[in-house]
Every structure is written in structure tokens, then in C-alpha cells.
Amino acid sequence: MARYPTIKDWPEEDRPREKLLDKGAEALTEAELLAIILRTGNASTRESALDHARLLLKVFRDLRGIDGASTRDLRAIKGIGPAKIAQIKAGLEFGRRLREKKWDAGQPLRTSEEVFRHFQKLEKEKRELFYVVLLTNKNRKIREVKISEGSLTASLVHPREVYNPVIRESAAAVIFVHNHPSGDPAPSPEDREITRRLKEVGEVMGVRVLDHIVIGRERYFSFSDHGML
């Protein structure tokens, strides 16, 4: 019986690993990159790693869909077992951590994008989370405090709950951050109203409200950048 050809039988310039080393990662398709992470196919079904990669992208639509898939969903794909699932999840998490920028205590605020990069992990959350970032009078980070979980309402994000940690830490300025699970960072009427109320309370207390940043899928909205504070 003739042997079923594998990736090793392909011309060198067409093999994902060789192609990456020769032309750079940017020259590869998503399927080819995913095939490198998977490493092997399935000899019993005569499928290559690239076959599995293409099937995953077809079933889950794109890398974002694969990233959000549960272990059970991934295991339902023939040939994708625990080892391959771990490789996929580790590879995607590595890329996410590389993209995110950590904003440590003591570091100054420079741009809204830096805040977004630090909080970009919120784009995967299924519920809305609201944070207040406490800053010194020189706009250096003191710490961040989670205020609420759930759809933003006046009852969930009450000025008393927001400003309690501000008082305890003697913060001079604040930044508000929350996510939109839908992926669209455009501010809702509730977002605008809550921002207005919190800014008014901050003015009474002598605390500067520098920004309110809404985290979406790979993008964000800054109230400050749009002249809304």
C-alpha cells in the first residue's frame, strides 16, 4: 500500500516550519502558524497538523473563536486531544501576554493606550467589570480596585463604593476602567451618565478624574481622548 504523504514529504519551501525560518512568521497563514503549534497530525486518519489546523479554523471561524472555545468543544474535534489542546491554549496565552503591557505601582500614566494594554485581559470576560485606578498627584499608579461585576447601573457603581478606596489611599486622581463583553467599546448612555456623576463627586472631593476607558475586543474608547471629561 502506498504511504500517505505528510508535511515532511512536501517541498521544503511549503512546510510551515521551514517557511517560517526562511521568510519570517509574518509570511505564514493562520493555519500554518497553528500547525506549527500542533506539531503533529494523526497517522491513523492520515491527517497532517495543517489539516487539523484548517479544520479548527473552519469549525471555530478564526483564532479568536479557538481561543474562546472550551476544552470540551475542542476535544469534540477528531484528532484534537489533551496534549494538542494544551499546546493551543498555551500558544494563544503566550501571544496575549506578550501583547499586554503591565502597569505596575509607581509607574506614571502616559497614555490611554497604556491603560488599555494593561487591562486588555478584560476583553475575554463574559460580565462587565468596573475598576478604579488610584493615582498620586504626579499621576503615578497606587493600585487598582475592582468595584463591581455585572451590567453597569447606578446601584452597582455607586460613588460611595468608588471613592471609599480613594479616601483610604489618599489618591489625588483616578481613572475608571470597565469592559464591554459584546466587544464594542462605544459608551452606552449608562456609561456616560455614570461617568458624569462620578466626575461631579470627584470635583466636590478635590479628586481629578483623568479618564474613563471602555475595553472592547482589541480596541477601546477613552472619554478623555474624545473630549468627554
Side-chain angles (χ1 to χ4, degrees):
M1 179 183 288
R3 184 173 65 86
Y4 184 80
T6 67
I7 287 178
K8 290 183 179 179
D9 298 311
W10 297 3
E12 257 193 40
E13 63 271 17
D14 292 335
R15 301 177 200 168
R17 277 179 291 188
E18 286 75 4
K19 186 175 177 181
L20 183 148
L21 294 172
D22 181 47
K23 300 180 179 180
E26 64 276 4
L28 273 66
T29 64
E30 289 186 351
E32 289 171 329
L33 291 169
L34 188 54
I36 291 175
I37 292 175
L38 293 173
R39 295 182 56 239
T40 61
N42 189 323
S44 65
T45 59
R46 297 183 172 183
E47 293 173 310
S48 69
L50 190 55
D51 291 328
H52 283 171
R54 287 170 174 160
L55 178 59
L56 284 166
L57 289 167
K58 180 179 179 181
V59 172
F60 298 105
R61 301 183 62 182
D62 53 25
L63 290 176
R64 188 177 300 135
I66 295 172
D67 190 27
S70 67
T71 298
R72 176 179 293 182
D73 291 337
L74 289 170
R75 290 198 70 168
I77 305 301
K78 190 174 182 179
I80 304 299
K84 282 187 167 56
I85 292 171
Q87 288 162 205
I88 293 168
K89 291 294 187 181
L92 292 171
E93 179 62 24
F94 187 79
R96 181 164 39 253
R97 293 188 186 188
L98 185 64
R99 186 175 69 243
E100 291 172 358
K101 183 172 182 178
K102 195 171 182 181
W103 187 22
D104 292 320
Q107 290 184 337
L109 168 68
R110 293 187 179 89
T111 65
S112 59
E113 184 175 359
E114 285 189 348
V115 182
F116 164 64
R117 292 300 176 194
H118 176 71
F119 281 97
Q120 195 170 358
K121 58 191 175 185
L122 296 183
E123 71 180 16
K124 289 188 67 179
E125 294 290 339
K126 304 300 183 186
R127 303 184 68 194
E128 289 191 30
L129 306 180
F130 187 95
Y131 283 80
V132 58
V133 182
L134 313 179
L135 303 164
T136 68
N137 59 357
K138 292 185 178 181
N139 295 346
R140 293 183 179 275
K141 182 182 175 183
I142 300 173
R143 67 187 182 99
E144 61 200 53
V145 181
K146 184 167 70 173
I147 300 299
S148 71
E149 295 187 25
S151 297
L152 293 197
T153 63
S155 59
L156 272 178
V157 185
H158 192 280
R160 178 180 60 253
E161 305 302 325
V162 173
Y163 283 98
N164 271 343
V166 177
I167 296 169
R168 286 197 303 269
E169 299 286 352
S170 299
V174 294
I175 296 172
F176 306 127
V177 180
H178 85 278
N179 64 302
H180 279 178
S182 67
D184 181 1
S188 67
E190 291 80 10
D191 296 340
R192 297 168 187 264
E193 176 60 20
I194 287 170
T195 304
R196 183 191 65 78
R197 292 178 65 241
L198 292 177
K199 185 173 186 292
E200 287 179 353
V201 174
E203 289 172 347
V204 171
M205 298 177 62
V207 176
R208 292 175 292 124
V209 175
L210 301 184
D211 207 345
H212 182 179
I213 293 175
V214 185
I215 307 292
R217 181 72 69 175
E218 297 183 358
R219 54 199 177 106
Y220 70 100
F221 182 93
S222 163
F223 275 72
S224 179
D225 290 354
H226 284 79
M228 298 171 63
L229 275 176

